[in-house]
Amino acid sequence: MTATIAVALVTVLAACGSNPAASPSQNAGAPVSGGNLVYLASYDNPDFQWTDVNDWEPGIIFSALVDRLVYWDAESSTLRPWLAESWTANPDSTQFTLKIRKGVTFSDGSALNAQVVADNLTIKGKGDKALGIPGTYTWPAGFESATVTDADTVAVKFSRPAYGFIRALTFYHSGIVGEKTLKLSFQDSSDIKNLVGSGPFVFDSYTPGEQYVLSRRKDYNWAPDGVGHAGPAYLDKITVRIAGQNSVRTGLLQSGQADVMRDVPPADEQRLGQTGFTVLPAKQIAYSVQIRVRPNSAATADVRVRQAIQHAVDRKELVDTLYFTGIWKPATSVIESGVPGWVDLSAKLTTDVDKANNLLDQAGWTARDAQGFRTKDGQRLSFLVYSVSWIRQSQPELLLLAQQLKKVGIELTVKNVDSNNETAAVGAPGVSLSISLGSVPTVSGPMRNNFHSAVTTSWFNSGALAKDAELDGHVDALSNATDDGTYTKAVGELQNYLIDQAYVIPLDTNQQTFAVAKKVHDLNVDAYGRLFFCDAWLSK
C-alpha cells in the first residue's frame, strides 16, 4: 500500500523505498463520503502541459486528474498495475508490451483504448513539433514507436536498451490524457480547463492566484491495484487554496480554515506536531538536494578545486542549523535511498577542511587577498550561485554554505532573482554552481539528459565544457543496461564517479513535509511525495 496519513504520531516505516507515515488512527471508523478538503499550496503555477508538468503544486493537482499506466508503491517498492493491467519486456529491454485495462473512461466520456495510449506514448517519446510539444525528459533515450497490436495491446520499441521504461511510466507527467487534449498545442494543452484525464477528480474552476476547485468523478472505478479502494473518491471536492507566505498557511491550518498544508517550515514542524496536527515527512524517488558544478571555468575545470568544495561542505551543520527537527538528514549520495541502484556513499561525503586546503594549495590557489580569499594570478577564487524559488530553503542553505567555503578561502556570492528569470540567470555562462534537486523515476534518462556531453542543451554541458569521456562512458553503460545486475552496477559506478569528480556535491535529503488536520484520514502519498487523494476522507 501507499504511505498513509492518519492522525496519530509519526512513525517511520522500515520497508525499502517507503515513505515515513503516520500510524493509523485507532478510532477513525469506516470512511465517510462527502466534504471539501482544503489543501494549501505555497504558490500558483498554472502550467499543466501533460508531457512535462514537473512543478510541485501543479504536479499534485495534475495527479488528481490524470491516471498513469503503472503505480509505484512506495512502501513495498513494487510496481502495480493501473491503466496498464500487465506488461512484458524482451531480454534486452528494447521492446515492451502493455496490456491496457478495459472499462476505463476519460472525463469527457471517451473510452481509454490501446490507440489513445499509443498516441500518448508517441508524443511523450518524440514530442510533436507541429504542436510545439516536447518529449518527456525522464524517459530513457532511444524511443522509436508505440503501435497498437490489438484492441487492448500496445507494443513499444526503443533503438537501445530502455531498462527503466516501465518505472518511467509511474511518474505523473507520464499520465495518460484523452484524445481531445492530444490534439492541442503546447499553449492550449497547458490550460487546466483543456486537461482531459481519467483520474478520480475533474477540474471544476480556477481563480488565478487564489484557488483551484476539483470535483469527484462519480463513475471512477480503476484505482491502482492494491492501493485502498477502487471506486469513486470519498471527497466531494478538493479546494487548492494559494497562500504564499508560511505564516499565512500555518494560520489558516491552525484556525480550521484548511485541512492540509505543504511546505511546512522546519520551525513549525514540532509546534504543529505538538498541537494536534500530523506532520508527515514524505521521502521521494529523487535526486538529493545538491550543488552541481559545471567545469566551464579555469577553476571548476580543475578537479582539485571541485573536490576542495566537496570536502569543505559540512552537511551535518547544514541539517542541524536549518532542519533541526530530526526529520531531515544529510545526503548520502547523488540520489535518494529509495531510488533503485542507490549506494550509500556517506564515507566519501565527510567534512575535511585540511584536505580541502591542501587540494587548493596543489591547484595553485595559494595567495590570499585582504579579505582572506584565495587568489591566483590576481584573480579571486570566487563563485556566484542563485537561490531558487522551487527549493524552499535554498537561500539560507546557500548562505550557510558560503560561510563554510570561506573557511578554506573560497568566496561564494549568493544572489536572488525573480522567479520568472531564474532559468536564464542560473544558465548564464559565468555561473558554475547551481543548487538543484528533482524526481528520478528512472535514473538512465535524467542522468543522460543532465550529464552526457551529447546533450548540449543541459545546464552541465552548456558553455565551454571539455568532454569527459569517462563520464560519458558511465552514462552510456547505464543507458545500455538490460537487467537488474547491469543496471545496478552502472548506477553505482556513476554515483561514485560524480562524487569522486565532484561534479555533484550532495547536501541533504530531498523530501517534503505536510501538516494534516485531525479530521483528515487515509490521505496517501505516492513514491514521488505527491498527495494521492482517492482514499482520503473527512470526519464529520
Side-chain angles (χ1 to χ4, degrees):
M1 295 179 63
T2 51
T4 301
I5 302 175
V7 289
L9 63 138
V10 174
T11 305
V12 177
L13 298 176
C16 175
S18 64
N19 282 338
S23 60
S25 177
Q26 298 300 313
N27 301 304
V32 176
S33 293
N36 175 24
L37 183 146
V38 179
Y39 164 72
L40 296 172
S42 58
Y43 59 89
D44 183 14
N45 178 6
D47 181 2
F48 295 89
Q49 208 291 314
W50 57 280
T51 66
D52 74 342
V53 59
N54 191 40
D55 230 354
W56 261 98
E57 303 299 10
I60 287 176
I61 297 169
F62 186 88
S63 296
L65 305 176
V66 178
D67 291 335
R68 289 157 258 175
L69 289 165
V70 183
Y71 187 80
W72 191 329
D73 187 322
E75 285 190 24
S76 64
S77 196
T78 301
L79 301 183
R80 296 188 179 277
W82 197 349
L83 296 184
E85 63 180 25
S86 64
W87 52 85
T88 59
N90 69 344
D92 65 356
S93 296
T94 58
Q95 298 183 39
F96 301 84
T97 301
L98 304 170
K99 201 73 174 178
I100 307 306
R101 190 169 185 164
K102 297 178 181 178
V104 176
T105 58
F106 291 101
S107 56
D108 64 352
S110 62
L112 174 78
N113 55 45
Q115 189 61 60
V116 171
V117 171
D119 292 344
N120 269 263
L121 298 182
T122 299
I123 297 177
K124 291 177 192 293
K126 293 185 173 181
D128 189 317
K129 290 184 179 179
L131 296 175
I133 295 177
T136 298
Y137 73 92
T138 55
W139 281 19
F143 175 86
E144 284 192 343
S145 65
T147 56
V148 174
T149 58
D150 63 44
D152 304 314
T153 308
V154 177
V156 182
K157 290 183 64 176
F158 284 80
S159 61
R160 57 191 300 165
Y163 177 72
F165 174 62
I166 297 300
R167 289 193 182 276
L169 296 179
T170 69
F171 197 42
Y172 52 91
H173 65 207
S174 286
I176 301 299
V177 299
E179 185 177 359
K180 288 183 179 178
T181 301
L182 289 175
K183 295 178 179 179
L184 298 176
S185 68
F186 181 91
Q187 182 176 352
D188 289 341
S189 65
S190 300
D191 189 332
I192 191 172
K193 296 193 299 293
N194 297 325
L195 187 60
V196 176
S198 65
F201 293 87
V202 295
F203 170 72
D204 189 321
S205 65
Y206 169 52
T207 306
E210 295 185 17
Q211 68 177 27
Y212 297 81
V213 178
L214 313 179
S215 297
R216 172 176 59 182
R217 269 197 73 177
K218 296 180 180 180
D219 60 344
Y220 187 82
N221 195 33
W222 44 82
D225 284 6
V227 179
H229 75 299
Y234 297 116
L235 299 169
D236 285 334
K237 291 183 181 295
I238 301 169
T239 297
V240 178
R241 186 170 175 181
I242 313 302
Q245 295 183 359
N246 293 333
S247 59
V248 172
R249 293 200 308 280
T250 303
L252 290 169
L253 187 70
Q254 291 181 308
S255 67
Q257 298 178 69
D259 306 305
V260 182
M261 169 184 172
R262 188 186 76 86
D263 225 5
V264 182
D268 291 333
E269 287 174 8
Q270 288 181 326
R271 181 165 58 85
L272 288 170
Q274 292 168 355
T275 55
F277 295 90
T278 297
V279 177
L280 173 73
K283 296 179 71 175
Q284 301 177 57
I285 304 298
Y287 288 112
S288 60
V289 180
Q290 56 195 234
I291 298 293
R292 293 183 184 174
V293 186
R294 59 178 175 182
N296 65 336
S297 68
T300 56
D302 191 327
V303 64
R304 294 168 296 186
V305 174
R306 302 195 304 267
Q307 290 171 340
I309 298 172
Q310 186 83 276
H311 291 297
V313 175
D314 188 336
R315 294 162 184 83
K316 186 176 185 302
E317 183 184 41
L318 288 173
V319 170
D320 290 348
T321 303
L322 302 175
Y323 307 98
F324 42 80
T325 61
I327 290 175
W328 306 83
K329 304 294 181 184
T332 58
S333 185
V334 177
I335 53 180
E336 292 292 315
S337 60
V339 181
W342 164 81
V343 179
D344 186 353
L345 298 178
S346 301
K348 293 187 175 185
L349 300 176
T350 56
T351 305
D352 191 335
V353 172
D354 289 340
K355 187 171 185 177
N357 278 317
N358 288 335
L359 285 164
L360 293 173
D361 288 343
Q362 293 170 24
W365 295 91
T366 53
R368 301 263 186 165
D369 61 19
Q371 285 75 45
F373 293 111
R374 289 175 178 267
T375 64
K376 182 180 181 181
D377 300 329
Q379 297 294 315
R380 177 182 286 185
L381 186 53
S382 178
F383 302 105
L384 169 65
V385 67
Y386 288 94
S387 62
V388 291
S389 61
W390 43 276
I391 301 178
R392 180 188 63 213
Q393 291 284 87
S394 64
Q395 183 182 31
E397 190 146 2
L398 291 171
L399 290 172
L400 182 51
L401 184 63
Q403 295 177 28
Q404 295 176 352
L405 296 184
K406 186 176 182 179
K407 294 177 182 178
V408 298
I410 299 174
E411 180 183 48
L412 183 64
T413 300
V414 181
K415 288 188 176 182
N416 298 324
V417 64
D418 181 84
S419 59
N420 294 324
N421 299 314
E422 283 176 347
T423 301
V426 172
V431 177
S432 299
L433 273 64
S434 173
I435 189 167
S436 185
L437 49 72
S439 298
V440 283
T442 175
V443 175
S444 56
M447 286 293 189
R448 180 177 178 81
N449 289 334
N450 286 324
F451 296 109
H452 199 284
S453 64
V455 185
T456 56
T457 55
S458 73
W459 179 84
F460 181 80
N461 284 312
S462 60
L465 172 65
K467 179 178 179 180
D468 185 334
E470 190 170 352
L471 175 57
D472 283 350
H474 285 298
V475 175
D476 287 337
L478 177 58
S479 298
N480 292 326
T482 59
D483 53 38
D484 282 342
T486 55
Y487 181 85
T488 300
K489 180 175 183 289
V491 176
E493 290 176 348
L494 179 54
Q495 288 170 80
N496 273 280
Y497 190 78
L498 288 171
I499 287 177
D500 290 344
Q501 293 294 309
Y503 290 133
V504 174
I505 300 171
L507 300 177
D508 43 70
T509 52
N510 179 0
Q511 62 185 14
Q512 284 293 314
T513 49
F514 297 91
V516 187
K518 284 184 177 181
K519 67 177 181 178
V520 180
H521 308 276
D522 299 335
L523 178 61
N524 299 328
V525 181
D526 71 11
Y528 303 102
R530 270 67 175 183
L531 296 173
F532 189 73
F533 295 100
C534 195
D535 293 326
W537 58 280
L538 302 174
S539 298
K540 295 295 186 180

mmCIF file of all heavy atoms in Angstrom, residues 4 15 56 379 438 525:
data_model
loop_
_atom_site.group_PDB
_atom_site.id
_atom_site.type_symbol
_atom_site.label_atom_id
_atom_site.label_comp_id
_atom_site.label_asym_id
_atom_site.label_seq_id
_atom_site.Cartn_x
_atom_site.Cartn_y
_atom_site.Cartn_z
ATOM 1 N N THR A 4 0.375 6.240 4.321
ATOM 2 C CA THR A 4 -0.928 6.778 4.691
ATOM 3 C C THR A 4 -0.808 7.769 5.823
ATOM 4 O O THR A 4 -0.146 7.521 6.816
ATOM 5 C CB THR A 4 -1.866 5.641 5.141
ATOM 6 O OG1 THR A 4 -1.985 4.719 4.069
ATOM 7 C CG2 THR A 4 -3.231 6.184 5.484
ATOM 8 N N ALA A 15 10.071 -0.528 5.487
ATOM 9 C CA ALA A 15 10.121 -1.165 4.174
ATOM 10 C C ALA A 15 11.012 -0.389 3.216
ATOM 11 O O ALA A 15 11.110 0.820 3.288
ATOM 12 C CB ALA A 15 8.718 -1.258 3.591
ATOM 13 N N TRP A 56 5.897 21.332 -8.233
ATOM 14 C CA TRP A 56 5.234 20.676 -7.116
ATOM 15 C C TRP A 56 3.728 20.869 -7.113
ATOM 16 O O TRP A 56 2.965 19.901 -7.114
ATOM 17 C CB TRP A 56 5.825 21.181 -5.785
ATOM 18 C CG TRP A 56 6.813 20.207 -5.264
ATOM 19 C CD1 TRP A 56 8.176 20.258 -5.385
ATOM 20 C CD2 TRP A 56 6.536 18.991 -4.585
ATOM 21 N NE1 TRP A 56 8.746 19.147 -4.825
ATOM 22 C CE2 TRP A 56 7.768 18.363 -4.315
ATOM 23 C CE3 TRP A 56 5.356 18.367 -4.171
ATOM 24 C CZ2 TRP A 56 7.854 17.133 -3.650
ATOM 25 C CZ3 TRP A 56 5.445 17.146 -3.508
ATOM 26 C CH2 TRP A 56 6.679 16.544 -3.252
ATOM 27 N N GLN A 379 43.476 36.802 -9.580
ATOM 28 C CA GLN A 379 42.043 36.554 -9.614
ATOM 29 C C GLN A 379 41.590 35.837 -8.338
ATOM 30 O O GLN A 379 42.223 34.884 -7.892
ATOM 31 C CB GLN A 379 41.680 35.689 -10.832
ATOM 32 C CG GLN A 379 41.981 36.350 -12.166
ATOM 33 C CD GLN A 379 41.119 37.580 -12.404
ATOM 34 O OE1 GLN A 379 39.915 37.568 -12.166
ATOM 35 N NE2 GLN A 379 41.755 38.650 -12.884
ATOM 36 N N GLY A 438 15.377 17.080 -7.895
ATOM 37 C CA GLY A 438 14.450 16.636 -8.935
ATOM 38 C C GLY A 438 14.073 15.189 -8.768
ATOM 39 O O GLY A 438 14.828 14.404 -8.191
ATOM 40 N N VAL A 525 0.346 9.280 0.048
ATOM 41 C CA VAL A 525 1.452 9.958 -0.615
ATOM 42 C C VAL A 525 2.117 8.951 -1.535
ATOM 43 O O VAL A 525 2.423 7.830 -1.119
ATOM 44 C CB VAL A 525 2.473 10.494 0.407
ATOM 45 C CG1 VAL A 525 3.616 11.214 -0.299
ATOM 46 C CG2 VAL A 525 1.801 11.411 1.403
#
